[in-house]
Amino acid sequence: MKKTTIRDIANEAGVSVALVSFVMSNQSRSADKVYKVNETTSRRILEIARRLDYRPNKAARTLRSGKTNTIGVVLSDISNKFFADIARCIEDRAYGYDCTVIFGSTDENAGKLENLVKVFMDKGVDGLIVVPCVGSERFIRSLADSDLPLVLMDRECSDVNTSRVMLNNGAALSLAVSALADNGYSKIEMIAYDMRLSNIVEREAGYRSKMEEYGLSDNVAIHRIPYKDIYGQIREVVVSALARGVEAFVFATNTLTIAGLKVLSDLGVTVPEKVRIVGFDDSEAFELYGTSITYVSQPVEQFGIRALDLLMEHISGGDPLSRKTVMLQPRLVVGNSSQ
Amino acid sequence: MKKTTIRDIANEAGVSVALVSFVMSNQSRSADKVYKVNETTSRRILEIARRLDYRPNKAARTLRSGKTNTIGVVLSDISNKFFADIARCIEDRAYGYDCTVIFGSTDENAGKLENLVKVFMDKGVDGLIVVPCVGSERFIRSLADSDLPLVLMDRECSDVNTSRVMLNNGAALSLAVSALADNGYSKIEMIAYDMRLSNIVEREAGYRSKMEEYGLSDNVAIHRIPYKDIYGQIREVVVSALARGVEAFVFATNTLTIAGLKVLSDLGVTVPEKVRIVGFDDSEAFELYGTSITYVSQPVEQFGIRALDLLMEHISGGDPLSRKTVMLQPRLVVGNSSQ
DNA sequence: CTGAAAGCGCTTACAG
DNA sequence: CTGAAAGCGCTTACAG
């Protein structure tokens, strides 16, 4: 019941282990490739391998070759729907690359991020996909300077020469503002996070510049909510904004959108009669809300797919100068909440 | 810039690699343990290791010892909130065991499950946590007969001698029925899946027996929805049930609950005025629904924690006769939807 | 208490 | 076209 090794096959076939190894590795190449190995021998070896149910020992292969066929993905929180969806896409696509994936969640904590990356490197990964968090910039820069292939996702990190896949965050909030301004609303306020994450910063910039474009500079108001007690914080903001006669809210993230809708619902403020909103990201929660939600949609699956493809490109050589930035475009889904 | 190995340390310290290896592995034991190695030497070796930033090569260690410090977790779909939450718990807890986790999603497809398990075994895992799916019973039985530690989660698989962590599914639906019957409702119908998953079957049994307990056998009605086009299927069921004068619905899963609420909302059937419902699992979507939902709550984090603990117990020896079944208890969260 | 040596299973030059 | 051999970095008996 011991696992069969390359040596067992060699004995059985009466050839050297080297030849078996050669045949086995060529096997995984293109099917139409003509082996340089004698075809009869090769066929015999393959046959024996199948009969003995040969499974290459990955640890030995890794030790020898240095390749692990494993990649590490460091994201904020895998139980968050956005990242869970991305994780799923990466998992599926990695399968095609004959590659397994290990995930880690940072909870927006730079220390955890650093630690996770170290654990993954110790474990042995061929490359890393990382969602930066506040405070991790320096570490990520040093990481990029090492020779481990790296792809950044969802959030920028300045002065890092590597590939990345990002959302056009400015465009996302421009779409949100336009959706409301085009319906004649001008008192549009933004609810964002306190955190200085690049994507949040860019979304704020998108909001601001679009407001200016509509000549609404004087109405610009960005509310930066601390990461804890979101509901309570938003409630305060909403109450005072309503008192000032706000006409609409745009939200910087999905979590903020849900919390905002919950607040409005609890306050008995109907949408879109009393106030208009444009959300961020889709959510199954929207379906149970009374009115259909207008929201900015991200091509979630593209995050995973493109990031993995870029990483694989790095891993399989590819000159370091060919680093690419993939900019994903947001899309507006129009519902009644912005009418 | 090459990675430092045990040999570099040995050279630097003027001792054998064996001694270094011995010191390094003892180091990871209890801190108060007195080394049998000369303390000065040991200290010097440790010091050099730190100075040279020594990181043990996991592949070499695995090749030699056969241990990978990796476990595989096979679940339905990691982008599903329930499983994503579990994944997160397992990830966090595995860290404490100095162990990494690889996840795989079956999409309720026995072929995928089988394939994933094989990939994980080839990759090398010390153990497996598996959520069975319909049709995977035979394969899982054969898996349990191999010597790879295995823990079943969320769903049963008969005749498998291994540990498992399950929800008391019967009790879950009993709670749901009681919540409604105690409020005087008797025409309570259940919406479940077509799939013959053990947890669904047990939930149906729980519904049925509780109805009988209340003397409502004649009102028992279980609607089994196919896995595709859930919304459309539920809509048909709901419309005809309403025509028959149904008073309440109980749902077998979270997805069904959300879809059901959506259908009711679209039909303009208000809850609890026109019909009462008890849902399954919490969801952020409930927060945006007009009335608070009564639902059966599962201790989600316990699934991950207990399953991992059981698996680790298997892995670190533990006699095969001590297989345990952990039965998690559901809890009823009362809202207005059942009043 | 410490060292020399074998070996885990594979791949990769290097001969022939 | 095929084989003998070295070596990836570690751990584990076995000597001394």
Short mmCIF file of all heavy atoms in Angstrom, two decimals, chain B residues 34-71:
data_model
loop_
_atom_site.label_atom_id
_atom_site.label_comp_id
_atom_site.label_asym_id
_atom_site.label_seq_id
_atom_site.Cartn_x
_atom_site.Cartn_y
_atom_site.Cartn_z
N VAL B 34 14.52 22.10 28.84
CA VAL B 34 15.97 22.21 28.88
C VAL B 34 16.55 21.32 27.78
O VAL B 34 16.25 20.13 27.72
CB VAL B 34 16.52 21.74 30.25
CG1 VAL B 34 18.03 21.94 30.28
CG2 VAL B 34 15.85 22.49 31.36
N TYR B 35 17.32 21.90 26.89
CA TYR B 35 17.92 21.12 25.81
C TYR B 35 18.90 20.12 26.37
O TYR B 35 19.59 20.39 27.35
CB TYR B 35 18.66 22.02 24.83
CG TYR B 35 17.80 23.06 24.22
CD1 TYR B 35 18.27 24.35 24.03
CD2 TYR B 35 16.51 22.76 23.81
CE1 TYR B 35 17.47 25.32 23.46
CE2 TYR B 35 15.71 23.73 23.24
CZ TYR B 35 16.19 25.00 23.08
OH TYR B 35 15.42 25.96 22.51
N LYS B 36 18.97 19.00 25.70
CA LYS B 36 20.01 18.05 26.05
C LYS B 36 21.31 18.54 25.42
O LYS B 36 22.39 18.10 25.76
CB LYS B 36 19.67 16.66 25.53
CG LYS B 36 18.58 15.98 26.37
CD LYS B 36 18.22 14.64 25.80
CE LYS B 36 17.67 14.77 24.38
NZ LYS B 36 17.30 13.50 23.78
N VAL B 37 21.15 19.48 24.49
CA VAL B 37 22.33 20.06 23.83
C VAL B 37 22.98 21.06 24.77
O VAL B 37 22.29 21.75 25.52
CB VAL B 37 21.92 20.78 22.53
CG1 VAL B 37 23.14 21.37 21.84
CG2 VAL B 37 21.18 19.83 21.61
N ASN B 38 24.27 21.10 24.73
CA ASN B 38 25.03 22.10 25.49
C ASN B 38 24.40 23.47 25.29
O ASN B 38 24.21 23.93 24.18
CB ASN B 38 26.47 22.10 24.97
CG ASN B 38 27.33 23.12 25.69
OD1 ASN B 38 26.91 24.26 25.87
ND2 ASN B 38 28.49 22.71 26.11
N GLU B 39 24.08 24.10 26.39
CA GLU B 39 23.30 25.32 26.28
C GLU B 39 24.03 26.44 25.55
O GLU B 39 23.42 27.19 24.79
CB GLU B 39 22.86 25.81 27.66
CG GLU B 39 21.93 26.99 27.56
CD GLU B 39 20.94 27.04 28.70
OE1 GLU B 39 20.82 26.04 29.44
OE2 GLU B 39 20.28 28.08 28.85
N THR B 40 25.31 26.56 25.76
CA THR B 40 26.08 27.60 25.06
C THR B 40 26.02 27.37 23.55
O THR B 40 25.72 28.29 22.78
CB THR B 40 27.56 27.55 25.49
OG1 THR B 40 27.64 27.17 26.86
CG2 THR B 40 28.21 28.89 25.27
N THR B 41 26.30 26.14 23.16
CA THR B 41 26.26 25.81 21.73
C THR B 41 24.89 26.11 21.16
O THR B 41 24.75 26.78 20.13
CB THR B 41 26.51 24.30 21.54
OG1 THR B 41 27.57 23.89 22.40
CG2 THR B 41 26.85 24.01 20.09
N SER B 42 23.89 25.61 21.86
CA SER B 42 22.52 25.78 21.40
C SER B 42 22.19 27.25 21.22
O SER B 42 21.63 27.67 20.21
CB SER B 42 21.59 25.12 22.41
OG SER B 42 20.44 25.88 22.59
N ARG B 43 22.57 28.03 22.21
CA ARG B 43 22.29 29.45 22.15
C ARG B 43 23.01 30.08 20.95
O ARG B 43 22.46 30.92 20.25
CB ARG B 43 22.76 30.12 23.44
CG ARG B 43 21.85 31.27 23.87
CD ARG B 43 22.46 32.03 25.02
NE ARG B 43 22.51 31.26 26.27
CZ ARG B 43 21.47 31.10 27.09
NH1 ARG B 43 20.30 31.62 26.78
NH2 ARG B 43 21.60 30.42 28.21
N ARG B 44 24.24 29.66 20.74
CA ARG B 44 25.03 30.21 19.64
C ARG B 44 24.36 29.89 18.30
O ARG B 44 24.22 30.73 17.42
CB ARG B 44 26.44 29.63 19.68
CG ARG B 44 27.40 30.27 18.70
CD ARG B 44 28.85 30.13 19.16
NE ARG B 44 29.13 28.78 19.65
CZ ARG B 44 29.62 27.79 18.89
NH1 ARG B 44 29.92 28.02 17.63
NH2 ARG B 44 29.82 26.59 19.40
N ILE B 45 23.93 28.65 18.19
CA ILE B 45 23.27 28.23 16.95
C ILE B 45 22.02 29.06 16.71
O ILE B 45 21.81 29.58 15.61
CB ILE B 45 22.90 26.73 17.02
CG1 ILE B 45 24.18 25.90 16.96
CG2 ILE B 45 21.97 26.36 15.89
CD1 ILE B 45 23.97 24.42 17.20
N LEU B 46 21.21 29.19 17.72
CA LEU B 46 19.98 29.97 17.60
C LEU B 46 20.30 31.41 17.19
O LEU B 46 19.60 32.01 16.36
CB LEU B 46 19.24 29.96 18.94
CG LEU B 46 18.03 29.04 19.12
CD1 LEU B 46 17.92 28.00 18.03
CD2 LEU B 46 18.04 28.40 20.48
N GLU B 47 21.36 31.91 17.79
CA GLU B 47 21.73 33.30 17.52
C GLU B 47 22.11 33.46 16.04
O GLU B 47 21.67 34.38 15.36
CB GLU B 47 22.90 33.69 18.43
CG GLU B 47 22.93 35.16 18.81
CD GLU B 47 23.39 36.02 17.66
OE1 GLU B 47 24.46 35.70 17.08
OE2 GLU B 47 22.69 36.99 17.32
N ILE B 48 22.95 32.54 15.58
CA ILE B 48 23.38 32.58 14.18
C ILE B 48 22.19 32.43 13.25
O ILE B 48 22.07 33.13 12.24
CB ILE B 48 24.42 31.47 13.91
CG1 ILE B 48 25.70 31.78 14.71
CG2 ILE B 48 24.73 31.38 12.43
CD1 ILE B 48 26.72 30.67 14.63
N ALA B 49 21.29 31.52 13.62
CA ALA B 49 20.09 31.30 12.80
C ALA B 49 19.32 32.60 12.65
O ALA B 49 18.89 32.97 11.56
CB ALA B 49 19.21 30.23 13.42
N ARG B 50 19.18 33.30 13.74
CA ARG B 50 18.43 34.55 13.67
C ARG B 50 19.16 35.58 12.84
O ARG B 50 18.60 36.25 11.99
CB ARG B 50 18.15 35.08 15.08
CG ARG B 50 17.11 36.20 15.07
CD ARG B 50 16.75 36.67 16.45
NE ARG B 50 17.96 36.87 17.25
CZ ARG B 50 18.23 36.22 18.38
NH1 ARG B 50 17.40 35.32 18.83
NH2 ARG B 50 19.34 36.45 19.04
N ARG B 51 20.45 35.66 13.08
CA ARG B 51 21.25 36.65 12.36
C ARG B 51 21.21 36.41 10.86
O ARG B 51 21.12 37.34 10.06
CB ARG B 51 22.70 36.60 12.87
CG ARG B 51 23.61 37.61 12.23
CD ARG B 51 24.79 37.94 13.12
NE ARG B 51 25.54 36.76 13.59
CZ ARG B 51 26.37 36.05 12.83
NH1 ARG B 51 26.58 36.39 11.57
NH2 ARG B 51 27.00 35.00 13.31
N LEU B 52 21.25 35.14 10.49
CA LEU B 52 21.24 34.80 9.06
C LEU B 52 19.82 34.73 8.51
O LEU B 52 19.61 34.41 7.34
CB LEU B 52 21.96 33.47 8.84
CG LEU B 52 23.42 33.53 8.45
CD1 LEU B 52 24.15 34.62 9.22
CD2 LEU B 52 24.09 32.19 8.70
N ASP B 53 18.84 35.03 9.37
CA ASP B 53 17.43 34.97 8.98
C ASP B 53 17.10 33.60 8.39
O ASP B 53 16.59 33.50 7.27
CB ASP B 53 17.13 36.08 7.96
CG ASP B 53 15.63 36.20 7.73
OD1 ASP B 53 14.86 35.93 8.67
OD2 ASP B 53 15.23 36.54 6.60
N TYR B 54 17.39 32.59 9.14
CA TYR B 54 17.15 31.22 8.67
C TYR B 54 15.67 30.89 8.63
O TYR B 54 14.95 31.10 9.59
CB TYR B 54 17.87 30.22 9.58
CG TYR B 54 17.48 28.80 9.31
CD1 TYR B 54 17.81 28.20 8.10
CD2 TYR B 54 16.77 28.05 10.25
CE1 TYR B 54 17.45 26.90 7.84
CE2 TYR B 54 16.40 26.74 9.99
CZ TYR B 54 16.74 26.17 8.78
OH TYR B 54 16.36 24.89 8.52
N ARG B 55 15.23 30.40 7.46
CA ARG B 55 13.86 29.91 7.31
C ARG B 55 13.93 28.48 6.83
O ARG B 55 14.41 28.25 5.72
CB ARG B 55 13.10 30.72 6.25
CG ARG B 55 13.20 32.21 6.38
CD ARG B 55 12.54 32.68 7.64
NE ARG B 55 12.44 34.12 7.63
CZ ARG B 55 11.29 34.75 7.38
NH1 ARG B 55 10.20 34.06 7.13
NH2 ARG B 55 11.25 36.07 7.41
N PRO B 56 13.42 27.56 7.61
CA PRO B 56 13.49 26.15 7.20
C PRO B 56 12.79 25.95 5.86
O PRO B 56 11.76 26.56 5.61
CB PRO B 56 12.73 25.41 8.30
CG PRO B 56 12.56 26.37 9.41
CD PRO B 56 12.70 27.74 8.88
N ASN B 57 13.37 25.12 5.03
CA ASN B 57 12.75 24.79 3.76
C ASN B 57 11.67 23.73 4.00
O ASN B 57 11.95 22.60 4.36
CB ASN B 57 13.82 24.26 2.81
CG ASN B 57 13.26 23.89 1.47
OD1 ASN B 57 12.24 23.23 1.38
ND2 ASN B 57 13.90 24.34 0.42
N LYS B 58 10.42 24.17 3.76
CA LYS B 58 9.29 23.29 4.05
C LYS B 58 9.25 22.07 3.14
O LYS B 58 8.85 20.99 3.56
CB LYS B 58 7.97 24.06 3.91
CG LYS B 58 7.81 25.21 4.88
CD LYS B 58 7.57 24.76 6.29
CE LYS B 58 7.54 25.90 7.27
NZ LYS B 58 6.41 26.83 7.12
N ALA B 59 9.66 22.26 1.90
CA ALA B 59 9.60 21.14 0.95
C ALA B 59 10.54 20.03 1.41
O ALA B 59 10.18 18.85 1.39
CB ALA B 59 9.97 21.61 -0.45
N ALA B 60 11.72 20.41 1.86
CA ALA B 60 12.68 19.41 2.33
C ALA B 60 12.14 18.70 3.56
O ALA B 60 12.20 17.48 3.69
CB ALA B 60 14.01 20.08 2.65
N ARG B 61 11.59 19.49 4.43
CA ARG B 61 11.04 18.93 5.66
C ARG B 61 9.91 17.95 5.33
O ARG B 61 9.83 16.86 5.90
CB ARG B 61 10.52 20.08 6.53
CG ARG B 61 10.06 19.68 7.88
CD ARG B 61 9.74 20.89 8.73
NE ARG B 61 10.93 21.48 9.32
CZ ARG B 61 10.90 22.56 10.10
NH1 ARG B 61 9.76 23.18 10.33
NH2 ARG B 61 12.00 23.02 10.62
N THR B 62 9.06 18.37 4.41
CA THR B 62 7.94 17.51 4.02
C THR B 62 8.44 16.22 3.37
O THR B 62 7.96 15.13 3.67
CB THR B 62 7.02 18.25 3.03
OG1 THR B 62 6.43 19.36 3.69
CG2 THR B 62 5.94 17.34 2.50
N LEU B 63 9.39 16.37 2.51
CA LEU B 63 9.92 15.20 1.81
C LEU B 63 10.44 14.19 2.82
O LEU B 63 10.22 12.99 2.71
CB LEU B 63 11.06 15.63 0.88
CG LEU B 63 11.75 14.51 0.11
CD1 LEU B 63 10.73 13.74 -0.71
CD2 LEU B 63 12.83 15.07 -0.79
N ARG B 64 11.14 14.71 3.81
CA ARG B 64 11.73 13.84 4.80
C ARG B 64 10.69 13.27 5.77
O ARG B 64 10.65 12.09 6.03
CB ARG B 64 12.79 14.64 5.57
CG ARG B 64 13.68 13.83 6.47
CD ARG B 64 14.43 12.79 5.67
NE ARG B 64 14.23 11.48 6.26
CZ ARG B 64 15.13 10.85 6.99
NH1 ARG B 64 16.33 11.37 7.15
NH2 ARG B 64 14.86 9.70 7.52
N SER B 65 9.86 14.16 6.28
CA SER B 65 8.97 13.75 7.37
C SER B 65 7.60 13.26 6.91
O SER B 65 6.90 12.58 7.64
CB SER B 65 8.76 14.93 8.31
OG SER B 65 8.00 15.93 7.65
N GLY B 66 7.22 13.65 5.70
CA GLY B 66 5.90 13.26 5.22
C GLY B 66 4.79 14.18 5.69
O GLY B 66 3.66 14.08 5.26
N LYS B 67 5.12 15.09 6.60
CA LYS B 67 4.10 16.02 7.09
C LYS B 67 4.14 17.32 6.29
O LYS B 67 5.20 17.86 6.03
CB LYS B 67 4.32 16.33 8.57
CG LYS B 67 3.89 15.18 9.46
CD LYS B 67 3.07 15.61 10.68
CE LYS B 67 2.52 17.00 10.63
NZ LYS B 67 1.49 17.27 11.62
N THR B 68 2.94 17.80 5.92
CA THR B 68 2.90 19.00 5.10
C THR B 68 2.45 20.22 5.88
O THR B 68 2.61 21.35 5.42
CB THR B 68 1.92 18.83 3.93
OG1 THR B 68 0.63 18.53 4.47
CG2 THR B 68 2.37 17.72 3.01
N ASN B 69 1.83 20.01 7.04
CA ASN B 69 1.25 21.12 7.78
C ASN B 69 0.26 21.89 6.93
O ASN B 69 0.14 23.12 7.03
CB ASN B 69 2.33 22.05 8.32
CG ASN B 69 2.93 21.54 9.60
OD1 ASN B 69 2.22 21.37 10.59
ND2 ASN B 69 4.20 21.22 9.57
N THR B 70 -0.42 21.17 6.09
CA THR B 70 -1.45 21.76 5.25
C THR B 70 -2.68 20.88 5.35
O THR B 70 -2.57 19.66 5.39
CB THR B 70 -0.99 21.79 3.78
OG1 THR B 70 0.20 22.56 3.69
CG2 THR B 70 -2.05 22.39 2.88
N ILE B 71 -3.84 21.50 5.43
CA ILE B 71 -5.05 20.69 5.37
C ILE B 71 -5.92 21.19 4.22
O ILE B 71 -5.83 22.35 3.82
CB ILE B 71 -5.86 20.72 6.69
CG1 ILE B 71 -6.40 22.11 6.94
CG2 ILE B 71 -5.01 20.24 7.85
CD1 ILE B 71 -7.59 22.11 7.85
#
